[in-house]
Amino acid sequence: MTATIADTIYARLSQQIITGALPAGEKLRQDHIARAFDTSHVPVREALLRLEAHGLAQSEPRRGMRVTALDPAEIREVIEMRVALEPLALQHAVQRATPGDLQVIDDARLVCDAAEGMPSWEARNRAFHRAILTPCGMPRLLSVIDDLHIASARHLHTHWRKRWRQRTDADHAAILMAMKRRDAETACDVLRRHLRRAL
């Protein structure tokens, strides 16, 4: 699928919000964004609506769109939802994963381990988690999980940016090994522990 200008704007703005480059309360001005991307207001509006749908922006009457504030209570809810939903997806993914899927997962794991900074690690970590779940073949469930990943990413950047260090993620390797053995129980146990510790 070819990326549209709205996709590009959404990807750039969402990453800036997630990393804190666009702080909470910052006004998202359509005219400024349209100029920055050399486009009309139509794709900008589409991108802003997507940001709002993912909880990254909020529309205020007569004041336009602003970056949402981080809610500390939200991360507890996000963790509980991820711990409930990701093992559900993984259980199905373990049974359906093809050798090609396992190769994609291993590649995502290695790329994540090689990240040299928090922003690249977070994006690659998200890609690894998406890769292990994609074979489940449940698009509605994956869509909900994608939203939870975005919410998690913002909190990870806020709370771990100064403490992040490059490392090999043993949990990621253990999940992949369990998937290769078709051991859904172990893969899901490791994932639950991993999510609670990381988040």
Side-chain angles (χ1 to χ4, degrees):
M1 188 186 298
T2 305
T4 65
I5 186 65
D7 294 333
T8 302
I9 296 169
Y10 168 78
R12 186 87 54 84
L13 293 179
S14 63
Q15 188 63 14
Q16 289 176 344
I17 293 169
I18 286 167
T19 59
L22 280 172
E26 183 84 4
K27 190 162 187 181
L28 299 168
R29 300 177 188 276
Q30 285 192 32
D31 51 345
H32 291 182
I33 297 167
R35 276 200 300 275
F37 287 89
D38 191 25
T39 187
S40 71
H41 282 224
V42 175
V44 175
R45 274 196 298 274
E46 183 183 330
L48 292 179
L49 287 172
R50 286 169 63 185
L51 289 174
E52 186 173 29
H54 290 134
L56 296 175
Q58 185 174 11
S59 179
E60 299 177 342
R62 298 182 300 280
R63 297 180 67 185
M65 197 81 78
R66 291 183 185 274
V67 175
T68 53
L70 272 173
D71 179 0
E74 179 191 41
I75 193 58
R76 287 191 290 275
E77 180 182 7
V78 168
I79 292 167
E80 292 306 321
M81 290 180 72
R82 287 189 65 179
V83 167
L85 297 179
E86 290 190 37
L88 172 62
L90 183 59
Q91 190 169 9
H92 290 273
V94 169
Q95 305 309 324
R96 298 179 179 183
T98 66
D101 293 328
L102 294 173
Q103 186 60 58
V104 168
I105 293 165
D106 198 23
D107 292 345
R109 177 185 68 85
L110 294 171
V111 167
C112 184
D113 286 346
E116 295 181 350
M118 176 76 186
S120 63
W121 171 82
E122 187 284 316
R124 295 173 185 187
N125 181 63
R126 218 181 326 158
F128 171 82
H129 280 264
R130 188 55 158 84
I132 65 172
L133 304 179
T134 295
C136 79
M138 304 168 82
R140 186 171 295 184
L141 177 59
L142 290 172
S143 178
V144 173
I145 291 170
D146 284 344
D147 282 350
L148 296 173
H149 283 178
I150 290 169
S152 298
R154 221 174 150 197
H155 287 276
L156 281 170
H157 269 282
T158 301
H159 299 294
W160 288 99
R161 187 183 298 124
K162 293 179 181 175
R163 289 180 280 177
W164 184 87
R165 58 183 175 78
Q166 187 178 26
R167 64 184 177 85
T168 299
D169 197 312
D171 286 347
H172 286 184
I175 291 168
L176 175 60
M177 290 305 295
M179 292 185 77
K180 287 180 175 179
R181 297 192 308 269
R182 304 287 184 193
D183 182 354
E185 184 177 354
T186 297
C188 291
D189 285 345
V190 174
L191 178 59
R192 288 187 196 96
R193 185 184 69 225
H194 175 75
L195 291 173
R196 291 196 182 281
R197 184 168 60 234
L199 296 170

